[in-house]
Amino acid sequence: MTTDFPRDSASGEPTPNVENEDPFTRLEKEMTAMRNAIGDLSEQVADAASDIGAVAQSQARRGLKNARSHVNAMMSDASDRAGVVANAAQMQASSIGDTLQDVIEERPLSTVALALGLGFLIGVTWRR
C-alpha cells in the first residue's frame, strides 16, 4: 500500500510535521483537542452558573430580609393606628355616655317617656 505522503526514509514512519501525518491521525488529534476544549468550556460554564446561583441566592436573602423589615414596620404602623382609632372610639363612647347622662339629669320625665315609646315600638315590631 502506497501513500501520497512522504515518509521518513530511515524509519518508514511519518514525519512529525502535521502536514505529513496521516489524515486519520490528524483528525484524532484534532478531536482530542476539541474534547479537551469542550471539557474546559463546560467547566467554565459550570463555574459561571455556580457564581450566578450564589449571587441570586444572596439577592433573594437580601430581598427577604428587606421584605421582613417592611412587614414589621407596616405591622407596627397598623398597630399604632388601630390603637389611635380605639382610643378615639372610646373617647366618643365616653362623650356620648356623658351627654346622655346630662340629658337624663336635666329632663328625667322626657327621658322616661322616650324610653317607653321606644320600648313600645320595638315590641310592636318584634311581634310581626
Side-chain angles (χ1 to χ4, degrees):
M1 176 159 130
T2 61
T3 60
D4 295 335
F5 299 108
R7 297 187 177 262
D8 190 9
S9 59
S11 65
E13 302 251 344
T15 57
N17 289 339
V18 174
E19 297 169 356
N20 296 334
E21 286 185 355
D22 181 27
F24 184 73
T25 305
R26 266 192 307 183
L27 182 62
E28 283 181 335
K29 286 182 180 180
E30 287 178 11
M31 288 186 67
T32 302
M34 211 42 136
R35 281 187 200 126
N36 292 339
I38 289 173
D40 292 343
L41 183 61
S42 66
E43 287 178 13
Q44 289 176 356
V45 168
D47 290 343
S50 176
D51 291 344
I52 289 171
V55 168
Q57 187 177 23
S58 172
Q59 288 180 348
R61 285 184 182 151
R62 191 176 314 123
L64 180 61
K65 187 177 179 180
N66 288 339
R68 283 183 182 162
S69 68
H70 289 312
V71 167
N72 289 339
M74 289 173 60
M75 291 297 291
S76 176
D77 188 40
S79 176
D80 291 345
R81 288 182 183 188
V84 167
V85 169
N87 287 339
Q90 187 177 11
M91 288 176 61
Q92 286 289 18
S94 175
S95 175
I96 290 172
D98 291 343
T99 303
L100 282 175
Q101 185 177 358
D102 291 343
V103 169
I104 291 170
E105 288 175 358
E106 289 177 9
R107 302 180 194 155
L109 290 177
S110 299
T111 305
V112 171
L114 180 65
L116 285 172
L118 284 174
F120 179 74
L121 286 174
I122 291 172
V124 169
T125 306
W126 190 268
R127 278 189 179 170
R128 292 181 185 200

